[in-house]
């Protein structure tokens, strides 16, 4: 299969991106990244799942408020499926945004993948965020994992060694692979001492990683400014609390020491290539 320059997902394939609020979404970073994509790529909703089948409404309660016509209406927690066309490559992208279901996970994933099949999806990228011992002052790590041996070989990934409880992201990955779809999961590490959403720096890191995998630059709008403001806000918190400040310094030292052996021109080259793609395709940033 052919790929776009710099792309890690075959260019002709329709790709599904999915993120879910809840256990797999530390700082709201994953769902915020997909909401941004939905907006800047002008995605159009094509389907949604019936929340009655999958949610405990005492856990995820419906919300009442004024609707577009001014009448009061109830908004139910659901999963929305939307379709966008990536502006530069013309790739069809299916965007799935929902809340981790309370029940019937296998049926839930089956219904999503049936919809995906009808839309011609061949690759599935799930997106999550987890709390980790990382400093907010350094680039947010975004790690890629896959149980698909072919994908691991193509992207030079280590096998996933995690054992333990999983979320809907893990189940959807497993079911996608069982159907013969290319499957990949991206995970952003959110500093655990600033766990509350929003986490724009982590969302920005996710979008940069998606740019690499899709070979498609993403208009970032105000997100870089939001990420910088977020970091400055955490800087102020650390300056006011000596314990947090000292902890951050320890994390910085550990991170810098771990990264030192890998300090090379590779990261700089990747960033420069991203800049060139953004400039050449006139998306701004």
């Amino acid at each position: 299969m052919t790929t776009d320059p710099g792309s890690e997902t075959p260019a002709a394939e329709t790709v599904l991106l999915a993120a879910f609020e809840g256990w797999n979404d530390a700082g709201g970073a994953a769902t915020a990244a997909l909401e941004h994509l939905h907006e800047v790529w002008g995605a159009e909703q094509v389907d949604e799942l019936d929340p009655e089948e999958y949610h405990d409404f005492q856990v995820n309660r419906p919300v009442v408020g004024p609707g577009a016509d001014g009448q009061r209406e109830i908004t139910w927690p659901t999963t929305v499926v939307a379709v966008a066309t990536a502006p530069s490559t013309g790739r069809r992208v299916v965007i799935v945004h929902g809340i981790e279901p309370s029940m019937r996970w296998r049926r839930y994933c089956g219904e999503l993948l049936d919809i995906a099949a009808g839309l011609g999806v061949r690759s599935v990228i799930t997106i999550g965020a987890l709390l980790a011992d990382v400093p907010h002052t350094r680039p947010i790590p975004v790690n890629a994992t896959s149980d698909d041996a072919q994908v691991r070989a193509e992207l030079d990934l280590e096998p996933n060694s995690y054992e333990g409880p999983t979320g809907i992201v893990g189940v959807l990955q497993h079911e996608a692979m069982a159907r013969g779809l290319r499957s990949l999961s991206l995970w952003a590490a959110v500093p655990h001492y600033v766990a509350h959403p929003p986490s724009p720096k982590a969302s920005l890191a996710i979008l940069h990683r998606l740019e690499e995998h899709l070979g498609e630059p993403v208009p970032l709008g105000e997100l870089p400014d939001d990420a910088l403001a977020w970091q400055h806000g955490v800087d102020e918190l650390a300056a006011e609390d000596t314990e947090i400040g000292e902890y951050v310094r320890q994390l910085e030292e550990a991170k810098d020491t771990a990264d030192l052996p890998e300090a090379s021109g590779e990261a700089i080259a990747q960033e420069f290539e991203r800049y060139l793609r953004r400039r050449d395709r006139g998306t701004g940033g």
Side-chain angles (χ1 to χ4, degrees):
M1 294 181 181
T2 60
T3 59
D4 288 334
S7 173
E8 295 173 340
T9 303
E13 288 188 351
T14 297
V15 60
L16 181 146
L17 309 177
F20 304 90
E21 298 174 25
W23 198 64
N24 299 133
D25 192 26
T31 52
L34 284 199
E35 287 171 355
H36 180 88
L37 274 184
H38 186 120
E39 180 179 352
V40 299
W41 283 354
E44 295 186 4
Q45 182 175 333
V46 296
D47 214 332
E48 65 178 30
L49 273 59
D50 182 0
E52 198 79 23
E53 292 292 319
Y54 305 113
H55 291 285
D56 179 346
F57 296 135
Q58 290 183 321
V59 176
N60 296 300
R61 292 183 179 273
V63 177
V64 64
D69 59 359
Q71 298 295 316
R72 289 172 65 78
E73 63 180 30
I74 293 178
T75 301
W76 297 90
T78 189
T79 299
V80 171
V81 180
V83 174
T85 300
S88 297
T89 61
R91 181 200 299 276
R92 195 182 198 198
V93 180
V94 178
I95 298 175
V96 174
H97 173 209
I99 301 171
E100 184 175 69
S102 304
M103 60 196 79
R104 303 184 183 93
W105 283 19
R106 287 178 293 182
R107 184 189 301 178
Y108 177 89
C109 290
E111 186 171 350
L112 275 181
L113 292 173
D114 286 345
I115 294 171
L119 294 171
V121 168
R122 293 300 306 153
S123 296
V124 173
I125 300 178
T126 54
I127 303 160
L130 52 83
L131 299 178
D133 293 326
V134 296
H136 71 281
T137 53
R138 300 295 186 265
I140 296 291
V142 180
N143 296 319
T145 66
S146 179
D147 291 329
D148 187 322
Q150 181 179 347
V151 172
R152 289 200 307 270
E154 291 173 359
L155 303 184
D156 192 25
L157 302 178
E158 294 294 326
N160 186 2
S161 60
Y162 172 76
E163 296 180 4
T166 190
I168 194 63
V169 165
V171 176
L172 183 59
Q173 277 285 308
H174 182 271
E175 295 300 314
M177 184 176 168
R179 293 194 181 203
L181 301 175
R182 290 166 50 88
S183 61
L184 177 73
S185 193
L186 302 180
W187 287 89
V190 175
H192 71 87
Y193 53 92
V194 279
H196 295 293
S199 189
K201 188 172 181 178
S203 295
L204 185 63
I206 289 170
L207 290 172
H208 281 320
R209 193 63 181 268
L210 284 174
E211 286 182 320
E212 297 172 6
H213 282 284
L214 300 178
E216 175 78 33
V218 175
L220 299 176
E222 298 179 357
L223 193 55
D225 291 336
D226 293 342
L228 188 59
W230 174 86
Q231 181 168 323
H232 287 164
V234 183
D235 287 342
E236 293 177 1
L237 173 66
E240 294 171 359
D241 189 313
T242 56
E243 289 188 7
I244 292 179
E246 179 57 30
Y247 180 62
V248 171
R249 284 189 288 274
Q250 292 175 5
L251 290 177
E252 289 172 337
E253 291 176 2
K255 175 65 175 173
D256 293 344
T257 300
D259 287 348
L260 190 60
E262 300 175 2
S264 69
E266 182 177 354
I268 297 173
Q270 289 179 347
E271 183 62 32
F272 186 61
E273 289 173 1
R274 184 185 297 122
Y275 160 74
L276 291 177
R277 290 197 299 270
R278 193 183 302 283
R279 184 198 65 180
D280 292 344
R281 294 173 181 176
T283 61

